[in-house]
Amino acid sequence: MKQQMELKKTYKELEEELAKISLQLEEATDSIEAIRSGQIDALIVKGENGSQIYTVKSADQTYRMFIEKMNEGALTLNIDGLILYANSRFAEMVALPLSKVIGHPFIQFVPQEYKKVFTESINNGWQAHNKGEIIITRSDGHCIPLLFSLSTLELDEGMALNMILTDLSLQKEGEQRLKETNEQLLKANSYVERMNDELELMVKERTKDLLISRENFKFLADNIPVIAWTALPDGTINYLNQRFYEFAGVNASEFFMNDWIQVIHPEDREKTTAQWLHAIKSGEPLDIEYRFKYAPDDSYHWHYGKGLPYKNEEGHIIAWFGTSTDIELQKKELEKKDEFISMVSHELKTPLTSLKGFTQLLMFTNKQAKNNLVDGYLETMNNQINKLTRLIADLLDITKSEGGELQFDNELFDFNVLVKEIAGEMQLTTIKHTIELELAKSAKVNGDRDRIGQVITNLISNAIKYSPAADKIIISTRIENNKIILCVQDFGIGISRLQHPNLYSRFYRVLDTSEAHTFPGMGLGLYISKNIIEKHMGKMWLESEPGKGAKFYFALMIADN
């Protein structure tokens, strides 16, 4: 029983002690809050030498409230480094309640590696105003950078050290980002400089190559036996080779390149200018013959001019390149040949006419005798005479065309009626091929009906000749842009695109020598046909590929009613 009473007494004593401690804690908390709110301007700090009272001179509540609202941490330290006062902002910085801050040494928040340096700064701060940077450790272990400012503060009980702390976290993060950005910029700048050096070297090498290439081109162009030139997309001549100046007898330093038209024969200037302007506008190659002044004897030589547009990947013309070749000698040789052909043709025409007359007389006589064997021979003779007659007629047409003597008897006629007429006649010459007509609405054409019929005949004849394995020929017409267009389509051997530009040259044969015997002819029909169509202000062209047959077209203006 006595032991139980002793135990109960001890428990009671414990309760009294706990109540006493609670009261002290409450008083301490109230005191701290009073200090924070400015309700008191003195405090007692118990140390090894006993309790001491600290009072701030001229303290007032307004100043304390200002300190509490600051974004910076504010501290007051005694000579031993104990925190006599701290505002709420500092408590937030270290993530502790004020009760865990006030009365504790400030050095406990400084990492070990910074304590020596900070202690030196504190010591210097007692002597004079001092500033610096420091790292402190929060209660959660996170470190934050701070800017500190130290100044002394006089209290009733002696001197204290005032400390203002500014959080540099955002600034340091910004500095770090700036540093990283600067490093990236330095790397980028280094890369750009390297690329710029490489590009500069490349440009130098490329410029050197271009200069060499240009000199090579100039050397080559100045030493070829033909006139060479280049022009801008708008047709402005920007280069003429040495051959031009030698041929025309002009000084390169005194001659304006765009005065080139002045060395063309006066009768050819209008035609040459018109075709050059058309080529510039349409982007089509220039192909022309004209007379060019030859300075050594003050005469004019015939030249063949060729101009080709140079285009980029988008199809835009970026330059023109051309040549002008002296064909005066060839012209004279052709004139001699034409003169000879004309003479021979006329000489052959008379005996051939007599031979044809006698052959027809024998055919008529043989019909009375009814000798089938002789009749076959005479028919063969008559066909061969007809072939010779057509060849002579073609040769005469060539000489007349070259001399400008080809005669045209223009009249107004129905185009489709002519097509049907020629198609009917040509159908009688072939058993294997069927000539199909696909004619659009007809139209009137003003021209030489027989000559245009000659062109249609030639195109159908070629279609039959060069499609031996096919069984039909298609003739079609259509009206487009006040023009009537005729197309003769075959399904024969076709023509390579490389041969298209030369197809209308006289005596030109599409086939090689090994095939020439299979498709006889002199290569005159298309040359004459194109000449006839152009004399009628028309145009002739084709579409063909090897093994896919051919389509030959020509277009003529529709006559005004």
Side-chain angles (χ1 to χ4, degrees), residues 15 110 240 252 299 305 311-312 337 361 449 458 494 509 543:
E15 281 185 341
V110 180
L240 290 164
S299 63
K311 302 179 179 180
N312 58 19
K337 184 170 68 174
L361 179 60
R449 192 177 190 276
N458 179 265
R509 301 294 308 282
E543 296 173 0

Side-chain angles (χ1 to χ4, degrees), residues 72-124:
E72 292 80 9
L75 298 174
T76 300
L77 306 181
N78 68 3
I79 193 66
D80 297 321
L82 295 177
I83 300 174
L84 304 180
Y85 170 77
N87 67 350
S88 300
R89 176 61 181 141
F90 177 74
E92 292 175 3
M93 288 180 176
V94 294
L96 287 172
L98 280 171
S99 60
K100 297 292 185 180
V101 173
I102 296 175
H104 294 272
F106 179 81
I107 199 70
Q108 70 179 5
F109 300 109
V110 180
Q112 185 64 39
E113 60 269 27
Y114 292 99
K115 286 184 177 180
K116 182 178 179 181
V117 175
F118 181 69
T119 300
E120 293 178 359
S121 297
I122 291 291
N123 294 334
N124 293 332

Side-chain angles (χ1 to χ4, degrees), residues 301-321:
H301 286 199
W302 277 102
H303 273 67
Y304 170 65
K306 185 77 174 179
L308 296 174
Y310 181 70
K311 302 179 179 180
N312 58 19
E313 295 180 355
E314 289 75 27
H316 298 135
I317 297 175
I318 58 177
W320 285 87
F321 293 87

Side-chain angles (χ1 to χ4, degrees), residues 144-163:
I144 59 173
L146 297 173
L147 174 67
F148 67 83
S149 175
L150 300 174
S151 60
T152 56
L153 183 68
E154 186 178 351
L155 301 177
D156 290 339
E157 294 76 15
M159 299 298 293
L161 194 63
N162 187 42
M163 180 185 295

Side-chain angles (χ1 to χ4, degrees), residues 13-25:
E13 290 176 352
L14 289 174
E15 281 185 341
E16 290 176 353
E17 290 178 1
L18 180 60
K20 185 178 180 180
I21 291 171
S22 297
L23 181 59
Q24 291 176 349
L25 178 60

Side-chain angles (χ1 to χ4, degrees), residues 10 59 80 102 121 132 182 208 235 249 266 326 330 412 434 491 496 524:
T10 302
D80 297 321
I102 296 175
S121 297
N182 286 336
K208 181 180 178 182
D326 188 346
Q330 292 90 320
L412 192 65
T434 300
F491 302 88
S496 169
L524 298 174

Side-chain angles (χ1 to χ4, degrees), residues 344-386:
V344 171
S345 298
H346 279 96
E347 291 298 322
L348 289 175
K349 195 173 183 181
T350 300
L352 195 60
T353 301
S354 298
L355 184 59
K356 183 173 179 61
F358 283 114
T359 301
Q360 289 178 341
L361 179 60
L362 286 173
M363 291 176 67
F364 177 77
T365 303
N366 186 64
K367 284 184 179 180
Q368 304 298 325
K370 297 183 179 180
N371 187 330
N372 293 333
L373 180 62
V374 174
D375 189 56
Y377 292 151
L378 291 174
E379 184 66 31
T380 301
M381 286 175 59
N382 188 57
N383 290 336
Q384 296 302 316
I385 290 171
N386 287 337

Side-chain angles (χ1 to χ4, degrees), residues 52-267:
Q52 294 183 353
I53 300 175
Y54 291 88
T55 304
V56 181
K57 287 186 176 181
S58 304
D60 59 68
Q61 186 174 357
T62 303
Y63 176 74
R64 289 172 182 256
M65 292 301 294
F66 172 75
I67 295 297
E68 282 298 318
K69 299 298 182 180
M70 286 172 58
N71 287 326
E72 292 80 9
L75 298 174
T76 300
L77 306 181
N78 68 3
I79 193 66
D80 297 321
L82 295 177
I83 300 174
L84 304 180
Y85 170 77
N87 67 350
S88 300
R89 176 61 181 141
F90 177 74
E92 292 175 3
M93 288 180 176
V94 294
L96 287 172
L98 280 171
S99 60
K100 297 292 185 180
V101 173
I102 296 175
H104 294 272
F106 179 81
I107 199 70
Q108 70 179 5
F109 300 109
V110 180
Q112 185 64 39
E113 60 269 27
Y114 292 99
K115 286 184 177 180
K116 182 178 179 181
V117 175
F118 181 69
T119 300
E120 293 178 359
S121 297
I122 291 291
N123 294 334
N124 293 332
W126 286 104
Q127 305 301 322
H129 183 75
N130 193 13
K131 288 184 178 181
E133 291 185 14
I134 193 172
I135 302 294
I136 65 171
T137 305
R138 291 162 50 95
S139 62
D140 56 9
H142 180 70
C143 292
I144 59 173
L146 297 173
L147 174 67
F148 67 83
S149 175
L150 300 174
S151 60
T152 56
L153 183 68
E154 186 178 351
L155 301 177
D156 290 339
E157 294 76 15
M159 299 298 293
L161 194 63
N162 187 42
M163 180 185 295
I164 302 298
L165 299 168
T166 303
D167 191 344
L168 298 179
S169 298
L170 293 178
Q171 179 180 334
K172 293 297 182 181
E173 289 176 5
E175 289 176 355
Q176 182 62 28
R177 286 196 296 269
L178 183 60
K179 181 180 178 181
E180 293 173 355
T181 303
N182 286 336
E183 290 176 354
Q184 293 175 357
L185 287 174
L186 287 173
K187 290 181 181 179
N189 188 54
S190 176
Y191 175 77
V192 170
E193 287 180 355
R194 186 172 70 254
M195 291 298 294
N196 189 55
D197 292 341
E198 293 176 1
L199 181 61
E200 186 176 352
L201 179 61
M202 188 184 301
V203 169
K204 287 181 179 179
E205 293 177 352
R206 182 59 177 161
T207 302
K208 181 180 178 182
D209 292 342
L210 287 174
L211 289 174
I212 295 174
S213 178
R214 178 183 176 184
E215 291 303 315
N216 290 343
F217 168 77
K218 189 175 184 302
F219 178 81
L220 175 65
D222 284 340
N223 289 278
I224 58 176
V226 299
I227 293 172
W229 55 269
T230 63
L232 300 176
D234 63 358
T236 302
I237 304 296
N238 59 358
Y239 172 76
L240 290 164
N241 70 342
Q242 188 61 32
R243 175 65 175 165
F244 169 84
Y245 298 107
E246 294 172 353
F247 198 94
V250 294
N251 192 313
S253 61
E254 299 175 356
F255 184 78
F256 292 99
M257 292 184 184
N258 283 310
D259 287 341
W260 61 269
I261 195 66
Q262 301 302 322
V263 297
I264 305 295
H265 194 286
E267 296 178 1

